[in-house]
Amino acid sequence: MKQLLLAICVTAISVLSVQAQGNKNAPRFEFSDGVSHDFGTVPEGPEVTHYFEFKNVGKEPLIIQSVTASCGCTSPDWPKQPILPGKTSKIKVVYSTDHRVGTFNKDIFIKSNAANPDDKEVFELHIKGNVTAKPTDSDKKS
């Protein structure tokens, strides 16, 4: 019985996914500055923030169910209300540089009802940069 229920759930999810991909009216993301952001070189300590601004270029409301990051050092925030066709909104991404000296390359995963051109289950954003160490007391004496 459990296997049957599992099979039905998997089939339903697959059908819904295929329908969203084939639906010409499905909501779609269009990011104004692309899906990647390079913070460049930033000092250790403060958080750095980037807003990924997007427009729903589909013909149906865009609903974002969740946005997660590849690690705990990155915190996303997203609109909880549907984004109507033709309207814009933002996904806020905050990266904590404290105790994270060196290069970073992180992914942010958006689960929504939007059609994804890569046929993936989630839409991906990317951030990267380089964190430089804050001066030590011995550096300050020089």
Side-chain angles (χ1 to χ4, degrees), residues 28-37 49-57 62 64 77-79 83 86-93 110 123 125-126:
R28 286 177 173 51
F29 286 107
E30 181 179 270
F31 286 90
S32 58
D33 292 326
V35 296
S36 296
H37 178 72
T49 302
H50 180 70
Y51 291 89
F52 286 95
E53 187 170 324
F54 65 90
K55 182 177 184 178
N56 175 4
V57 295
L62 171 60
I64 300 175
D77 189 26
W78 66 95
I83 295 87
K87 298 297 181 185
T88 60
S89 193
K90 298 175 185 177
I91 295 174
K92 177 183 178 182
V93 177
I110 305 169
F123 197 92
L125 302 173
H126 311 281

Side-chain angles (χ1 to χ4, degrees), residues 2 6 16 27 33 40 49 65 73 75 77 86 96 98 100 127:
K2 288 182 183 178
L6 179 62
L16 290 174
D33 292 326
T49 302
Q65 288 105 4
C73 56
S75 304
D77 189 26
S96 174
D98 201 27
R100 293 188 173 84
I127 60 170

Side-chain angles (χ1 to χ4, degrees), residues 29-129:
F29 286 107
E30 181 179 270
F31 286 90
S32 58
D33 292 326
V35 296
S36 296
H37 178 72
D38 187 348
F39 284 104
T41 300
V42 295
E44 177 187 12
E47 294 178 333
V48 291
T49 302
H50 180 70
Y51 291 89
F52 286 95
E53 187 170 324
F54 65 90
K55 182 177 184 178
N56 175 4
V57 295
K59 295 181 181 176
E60 296 175 357
L62 171 60
I63 301 168
I64 300 175
Q65 288 105 4
S66 66
V67 181
T68 57
S70 59
C71 76
C73 56
T74 306
S75 304
D77 189 26
W78 66 95
K80 309 308 188 271
Q81 296 78 22
I83 295 87
L84 298 176
K87 298 297 181 185
T88 60
S89 193
K90 298 175 185 177
I91 295 174
K92 177 183 178 182
V93 177
V94 178
Y95 179 75
S96 174
T97 65
D98 201 27
H99 303 293
R100 293 188 173 84
V101 174
T103 60
F104 65 91
N105 195 348
K106 305 297 177 186
D107 299 316
I108 298 92
F109 307 101
I110 305 169
K111 185 170 177 139
S112 72
N113 66 332
N116 191 337
D118 298 332
D119 289 332
K120 293 182 180 178
E121 190 174 314
V122 295
F123 197 92
E124 294 181 23
L125 302 173
H126 311 281
I127 60 170
K128 66 180 182 176

